[in-house]
Amino acid sequence: MSQLRLDGITVRYEGQPAPAVAHTDLTVSTGEFVVLTGRSGCGKTTLLSVAAGLLAPTFGTVRLDGREAPEPGSDRAMVFQDDALFPWLTVAENVAFALRMRGASKSERRQRAVEMLRRVRLEDAADKHVWELSGGMRQRVGLARALAADPRFLLMDEPLGALDALTRERMQGLLLDIWSSSGTGVLMVTHGIEEALILATRVWVMAPGPGRIVRTFETDFGRRVVGGEPILSVKGDPAFQEMRVALAEAIYAGEPA
Amino acid sequence: MSGSVRSVPGAFPYGGSLQSAADTVAEGPDPLAVPWSRPAASSRGWSAGRVSVVTVAALLLAWWLAAALALVSPVFLPSPLAVAAKFVKVATDGYVDATLWHHLAASFGRVTFALLASALVGIPVGLAIGASPIGRGIFDPLLEFLRPIPPLAYLPLVIIWFGIGEASKVLVIAIAMLAPIALSTAAGVRGVAQERINAARTLGASRRQVILHVILPSALPQVLTGLRIALGAGWTTLVAAELIAATEGLGFMIQSAAQFLVTDVVIMGIFVIAGIAFAFEFLLRWLELRYVPWAGRM
């Protein structure tokens, strides 16, 4: 089991009076699905970038299994809201990007790409250009590309934020499916309250000014979906609705109406 | 979020114009349509392309009339037919010891060689300017210094330093091409979406791999645009370059003809240069469609 651990993270952007994130600790283990949520400007994405190694914190440390891990790498592959695919590569070449960086052979790359595309149910699109795909398909390619790197942790910055409601629901099922079968740890940023609850094993609520974690919710709704219960039935559970209200209150607590 | 507009499913804000560019090529090059004009639909059928055709036809007619009615002495304005006849004659018999094809090949070779040399220097310089503040600090003032100087101004210095050989001719053209290539590449590099770079880094790409596999391909559309602008500058500079002790070349041909008032050769040479520059422009447009088909779509 691997552990990604952020200790005492403070991030101060130049020219800003309040730090974007202050004295924040956060731990994700493989097998966990941790969701970061909160109002705009609360530092969710900043914290995610620190976890990925893309942003050096002003204070604090990032450790991967006890080892300080300042440089970004494929052990913490990232999925972005704007899919950030490479348009000069085909779908399969995009998916195999991490393997190409490692110097894997062409046949190995192809095989792995097709395998990953099958997991996101896009095997027919392997030789397409990425601009031929819909937003939902592009996001699945982005997911397959991160998975192909065989990461211990999958970091996702509002991966479903730009999708329409229907595609979004389908993608939630797919994310749960992939998370449970791959055994990676997930750290995901989202604005969606239902989305946070249906996916997460733990939800961290952040508040702005300065950005910090203010509450934690432990949930098992995602595990129930993985266990075979239909998403709609889980979302209809009174316990789900109750936690939904509590989470919304936690997110908007202290905000002037 | 700066990228949110681009990620709306199925919405390619520039897809329409790219499509029409593709159509223009697919229908076969219209020899009279200027390549940068977009065929825009108009309610009265007066598209820009059609207006261009009419304008060119009207100018040709006016030229022909002026010559036919002898409004201007043929020494100064030979008729279009005389120019066309001269084209055939110079193509077969030659002018000043070389056929038109020799002149053309010499000029073509100089411009092509200058383009290669200039791209070889300009693209890495542009990369350095766009990717690092140190690179920008070093090269930006040099390019800004070089950019506005007319080629005729540095021509004497090039001759003093490098003599009157072929190298000087190529160098003069290459200097004129350098700034557009480097500045356009730099703009392309600066415009690379940070998310693409971040994605590559979390997929295990080293800094070198990020430059090679993300930044360069991302900047390719602007690099090609830079090459296109540079070619324009190159043909503009050709005549100046061929002032240096040339014995063949289109610029040289025009100058020697001008000295003996052989106006039809001068006019014919101008048309040939325009024609070649035009062909280059189409070649690069084709390269863009072929190799950066994603430009404007993502």
Side-chain angles (χ1 to χ4, degrees), chain A residues 35-45 47 157-158 188-197 203-209 211-215 217 247-253 255, chain B residues 1:
Chain A
V35 169
L36 276 174
T37 187
R39 309 201 299 265
S40 295
C42 68
K44 309 181 289 281
T45 298
L47 201 57
D157 189 4
E158 298 194 46
M188 170 169 148
V189 166
T190 181
H191 274 115
I193 293 174
E194 280 206 359
E195 183 167 292
L197 289 178
V203 182
W204 303 77
V205 180
M206 294 185 73
R212 68 214 183 273
I213 289 170
V214 287
R215 268 198 76 176
F217 291 82
L247 179 56
E249 278 173 355
I251 291 173
Y252 296 105
E255 186 177 60
Chain B
M1 292 277 161

Side-chain angles (χ1 to χ4, degrees), chain A residues 71 73 78 82 88 101 131, chain B residues 6 195 201-202 209 297:
Chain A
E71 283 292 306
M78 193 146 166
D82 179 15
W88 52 92
M101 296 302 102
W131 70 80
Chain B
R6 294 185 305 159
E195 284 199 340
R201 296 200 67 204
T202 71
Q209 283 174 319
R297 297 198 210 195

Side-chain angles (χ1 to χ4, degrees), chain B residues 1 37 59 76 94 96-97 103 109 112 141 153 178 180 188 205 214 239 258 263 273 276 285 289:
Chain B
M1 292 277 161
S37 78
L59 283 172
F76 299 113
V96 279
D97 304 329
H103 290 306
T112 308
L178 191 64
V214 180
V239 178
T263 316
I273 290 180
I276 298 190
R285 294 257 169 196
L289 283 173

Side-chain angles (χ1 to χ4, degrees), chain A residues 15-153:
Chain A
Q16 303 240 327
V21 174
H23 314 295
T24 298
D25 306 325
L26 185 150
T27 307
V28 194
S29 300
T30 43
E32 277 187 314
F33 200 128
V34 175
V35 169
L36 276 174
T37 187
R39 309 201 299 265
S40 295
C42 68
K44 309 181 289 281
T45 298
T46 299
L47 201 57
L48 193 72
S49 305
V50 170
L54 293 170
L55 181 68
T58 316
F59 301 109
T61 53
V62 180
R63 286 197 180 82
L64 188 60
D65 295 332
R67 178 179 55 89
E68 279 212 34
E71 283 292 306
S74 61
D75 45 14
R76 286 157 292 157
M78 193 146 166
V79 178
F80 298 85
Q81 173 179 16
D82 179 15
D83 51 65
L85 296 176
F86 307 127
W88 52 92
L89 301 177
T90 65
V91 167
E93 287 165 347
N94 261 284
V95 173
F97 187 83
L99 278 81
R100 187 161 169 213
M101 296 302 102
R102 289 174 205 162
S105 74
K106 211 167 177 176
S107 62
E108 191 185 336
R109 288 187 334 232
R110 176 77 193 182
Q111 194 190 339
R112 179 91 176 150
V114 170
E115 187 188 323
M116 289 302 125
L117 284 170
R118 196 171 295 130
R119 285 180 68 175
V120 298
R121 287 160 224 147
L122 268 182
E123 58 268 42
D124 294 336
D127 296 310
K128 285 207 162 114
H129 295 291
V130 293
W131 70 80
E132 296 175 287
L133 307 181
S134 69
M137 289 161 99
R138 293 228 290 257
Q139 206 48 272
R140 279 189 276 164
V141 175
L143 187 60
R145 182 176 67 176
L147 286 172
D150 198 16
R152 275 181 280 176
F153 293 94

